Amino acid sequence: MAVLLSTKSDTMMAAWRDALRAVDPSLDIRLFPDAGEPADIEAAVCWTQHDMAELRRYANLRLLVSMGAGVDHLMRPPGPPPGVPVARLVDARLTQGMTEWVLLNVLRFHRQDLEYRALQAARVWRELPAPETSARRVGILGLGELGTAAARAIGALGFPVMGWARRPKAVEGVEAFHGADGLDAMLARTDILICLLPLTPDTRGVICARTLALLPRGAFVVNAARGGHVVAEDLLAALDSGHVAAAALDVFEPEPLPGDHPFWSHPRVLVWPHAASITIPSSAAPQVVENIRRAREGRPLVNLVDFQAGY
Ligand code: NDP
Ligand code: OXD
């Protein structure tokens, strides 16, 4: 039985093949589109470009794995083949990368880096009023693997941290909110908003004119989750009116961000090419091999996706 790998570049494909083989040299690995005999494929490890309809060719598929933490690409219609369980990545290095990226942007905004760069461009030597860490409230949308790690790191620096999840949560040092009322209550007190939600029908467009208006004037927006969480025109309007002071955006809809999109040249927008945290195959491979073994043996999978919740 064989494992099908499908990702965007040949280099990444080779890195995944080598990483999986380093964990289990006996694996028969096929690189899409060279799947060989379709009936051989028992597991597929896919990234965002793979068409879910194509997976229906593999009658013996018993496991689908996302090459990232997010699974929205696998849930897009027509979705995974019926009856095939889906696992995602929960990986220490992916979490570390995201924590670093979030900290980078929180500190950039908190320490007025955009203002100091503008002063540098104008060759102006001027000290701005010192910001107060304990007065800069950070609100995180999503208190899962990534959101919780980011919350802890931000809290450790002395920022008051809040987080919003689907269900009630208890995270030490974090004021937790949930549900629609919880969202509005958190936004009203959020000076730096960070999005680390999965993209589902419930979370699409969560950062929109209504929710942006709830933020205090001069708040910052940091989105590392998915482009579909943000209504781009609403964010641009909030930036142009000064209601939102600046935004750091790593994810867009569509990707790559089209060359003529206003985000590229907006003086208050920091654009990243979906690189906040990049999966490192050698770090992620052990859990993927573990799931392949578990699927073969009919044992419960790790990092299983809840189809009902969509993440
Ligand atoms: P998790 O599944 O661990 O956490 C998701 C969190 O979102 C949970 O706290 C969950 O609530 C909450 N949530 C889900 N739906 C809702 C809802 N309707 N209302 C309120 N809260 C909700 O995911 P991860 O932390 O591992 O990853 C989050 C996302 O980050 C990924 O899905 C992916 O899109 C993105 N990502 C981006 C990367 C990049 O480089 N830009 C890299 C890696 C991931 P509850 O706790 O109640 O379940
Ligand atoms: C992920 C990503 O979901 O990199 O892991 O976006």
Side-chain angles (χ1 to χ4, degrees):
M1 298 299 271
V3 179
L4 181 70
L5 292 183
S6 177
T7 184
K8 286 178 180 165
S9 78
D10 290 346
T11 318
M12 270 314 267
M13 202 99 92
W16 268 99
R17 179 199 57 209
D18 296 348
L20 293 174
R21 283 220 180 112
V23 180
D24 184 349
S26 74
L27 286 177
D28 175 358
I29 297 178
R30 315 267 171 94
L31 306 188
F32 187 78
D34 300 323
E37 172 54 44
D40 292 349
I41 304 297
E42 61 174 343
V45 186
C46 297
W47 192 226
T48 51
Q49 84 304 337
H50 201 94
D51 178 5
M52 288 299 103
E54 197 277 338
L55 289 185
R56 283 156 169 77
R57 291 176 60 221
Y58 310 112
N60 294 318
L61 191 70
R62 53 180 136 189
L63 170 65
L64 174 59
V65 184
S66 170
M67 276 183 187
V71 292
D72 45 296
H73 55 290
L74 307 179
M75 297 301 178
R76 277 196 301 257
V84 175
V86 176
R88 70 187 193 100
L89 299 184
V90 175
D91 175 70
R93 291 189 65 184
L94 196 63
T95 303
Q96 170 74 16
M98 184 57 79
T99 302
E100 288 169 3
W101 188 84
V102 168
L103 281 178
L104 170 73
N105 287 293
V106 166
L107 291 176
R108 256 194 109 159
F109 291 148
H110 173 63
R111 293 304 307 265
Q112 305 137 307
D113 194 46
L114 267 59
E115 289 72 19
Y116 279 115
R117 288 322 108 219
L119 290 171
Q120 179 181 355
R123 296 171 183 260
V124 174
W125 183 274
R126 183 188 304 148
E127 200 178 86
L128 300 173
E132 180 53 61
T133 311
S134 63
R136 186 87 73 182
R137 302 155 301 176
V138 178
I140 304 181
L141 302 175
L143 266 185
E145 294 294 331
L146 303 179
T148 300
R152 290 201 170 111
I154 295 164
L157 291 177
F159 294 95
V161 186
M162 300 168 285
W164 182 64
R166 193 164 56 94
R167 299 161 289 191
K169 306 269 303 194
V171 180
E172 201 185 334
V174 178
E175 187 178 353
F177 297 81
H178 69 279
D181 293 349
L183 174 63
D184 291 6
M186 185 180 91
L187 292 175
R189 291 161 47 199
T190 293
D191 301 310
I192 302 181
L193 179 68
I194 296 163
C195 183
L196 284 170
L197 287 166
L199 185 62
T200 68
D202 289 342
T203 64
R204 176 169 283 283
V206 64
I207 301 177
C208 61
R210 187 193 79 80
T211 50
L212 289 168
L214 294 173
L215 296 170
R217 188 172 177 81
F220 299 91
V221 172
V222 176
N223 185 21
R226 287 293 181 263
H229 288 119
V230 172
V231 180
E233 312 78 63
D234 293 357
L235 178 57
L236 282 164
L239 285 159
D240 290 341
S241 72
H243 185 73
V244 168
L249 307 174
D250 180 57
V251 283
F252 303 91
E253 212 172 70
E255 291 181 5
L257 182 65
D260 61 354
H261 198 284
F263 281 150
W264 279 114
S265 54
H266 200 290
R268 306 296 296 177
V269 176
L270 303 171
V271 169
W272 286 67
H274 199 147
S277 190
I278 297 169
T279 300
I280 298 166
S282 59
S283 179
Q287 66 184 281
V288 176
V289 173
E290 174 66 18
N291 265 339
I292 293 168
R293 290 181 181 147
R294 285 170 177 248
R296 275 182 189 156
E297 295 161 11
R299 289 188 288 132
L301 302 179
V302 293
N303 305 327
L304 188 64
V305 168
D306 173 353
F307 272 73
Q308 198 67 33
Y311 65 98

